[in-house]
Amino acid sequence: MNFDVYEYSDKGGRNYNEDSVGSRYEDSKGIFVVADGLGGHNFGELASECAVSSILSVWDNFSDEIEKQFTDIITSANSKILDLQREKNTTIKSTVALLMTNGGKAVFANIGDSRVYYFHKNALKMFTEDHSVAYKKYKAGEITRDMIGSDEDQSRLLRTLGSQDRYQPNIYTVPEPLEKGDAFMLCSDGVWEYLYDEEILVDLLKSENAQQWAELMLVRIMDRTDGENDNLSMITVITED
């Protein structure tokens, strides 16, 4: 099994880009990560770069039992960002969306409000839950899922890397072996807040490859932004033979 992969990251309407993306993959083995740094004055960029580089560094010690690696991977990344905080003498943090695959198995996770979407047999099968006050309001029935991105509490995060005790990920194991045509989209909030779930699926079904899928979604986003939008980053992944 191989992967068709496309990465995109842009500063949007901001002065600088605090998102980072990265991936390593070969045959059925892969690590894909999107991070959205928090801190301002370029410190957010340092946090997201630290998260991505720390997570990708496990490549040479990749385990067949990838679920068991997640806790250690996230704990290590969190420790490195805490070290960075002490070095810079300021609070810097990062969200993370992470996908790992090996031998047809896939596991993904998130911390904060970066997301992972999983598509199987032409349907959206699984997606991460945000660690935000707005998502809590959605789960409590106070707002709809489509209203999360515009809610006043969307940026109030309950878990992030760079926290002393609130950095634990939600971990999701894909229940079936990966098949040709299965797809994942990892993204920061600057992407998903402008898209409906149904549109992400429609654009996937229209696409011949991972880049086209991303570009169709980006057209929608650009039509809906006002020039002051957040950084936007994504990785699209489609399984091949």
Side-chain angles (χ1 to χ4, degrees), residues 175-192:
E176 56 274 322
L178 293 180
E179 300 177 0
K180 180 181 179 181
D182 286 349
F184 298 87
M185 196 261 282
L186 296 77
C187 65
S188 61
D189 62 330
V191 170
W192 63 255

Side-chain angles (χ1 to χ4, degrees), residues 96-115:
V96 165
L98 169 63
L99 166 66
M100 295 177 66
T101 66
N102 198 4
K105 177 183 287 187
V107 182
F108 57 89
N110 74 309
I111 304 167
D113 62 354
S114 290
R115 292 183 177 180

Side-chain angles (χ1 to χ4, degrees), residues 9 17-22 33-38 44-45 47-52 55 81 94-98 114 161 187-188 233 235:
S9 187
N17 190 357
E18 294 189 306
D19 290 357
S20 296
V21 302
V33 57
V34 170
D36 179 356
L38 313 169
E45 179 182 0
S48 65
E49 288 178 348
C50 180
V52 170
I55 290 169
I81 293 179
S94 182
T95 71
V96 165
L98 169 63
S114 290
L161 286 182
C187 65
S188 61
S233 301
I235 301 177

Side-chain angles (χ1 to χ4, degrees), residues 89-194:
N89 194 30
T90 189
T91 299
I92 54 177
K93 299 183 178 183
S94 182
T95 71
V96 165
L98 169 63
L99 166 66
M100 295 177 66
T101 66
N102 198 4
K105 177 183 287 187
V107 182
F108 57 89
N110 74 309
I111 304 167
D113 62 354
S114 290
R115 292 183 177 180
V116 183
Y117 297 78
Y118 163 58
F119 301 86
H120 176 68
K121 295 188 181 300
N122 299 329
L124 174 58
K125 300 293 289 187
M126 299 171 66
F127 49 81
T128 53
E129 297 190 357
D130 306 338
H131 301 128
S132 69
V133 174
Y135 201 88
K136 289 282 190 183
K137 291 165 73 171
Y138 154 63
K139 295 293 283 187
E142 298 177 26
I143 60 175
T144 66
R145 179 172 164 82
D146 292 337
M147 293 169 62
I148 296 171
S150 59
D151 187 81
E152 61 184 0
D153 291 319
Q154 190 257 317
S155 62
R156 294 179 59 193
L157 302 183
L158 303 175
R159 299 187 208 174
T160 57
L161 286 182
S163 301
Q164 291 290 343
D165 55 2
R166 295 186 177 181
Y167 61 87
Q168 297 79 8
N170 284 7
I171 300 174
Y172 306 79
T173 300
V174 173
E176 56 274 322
L178 293 180
E179 300 177 0
K180 180 181 179 181
D182 286 349
F184 298 87
M185 196 261 282
L186 296 77
C187 65
S188 61
D189 62 330
V191 170
W192 63 255
E193 65 185 5
Y194 293 103

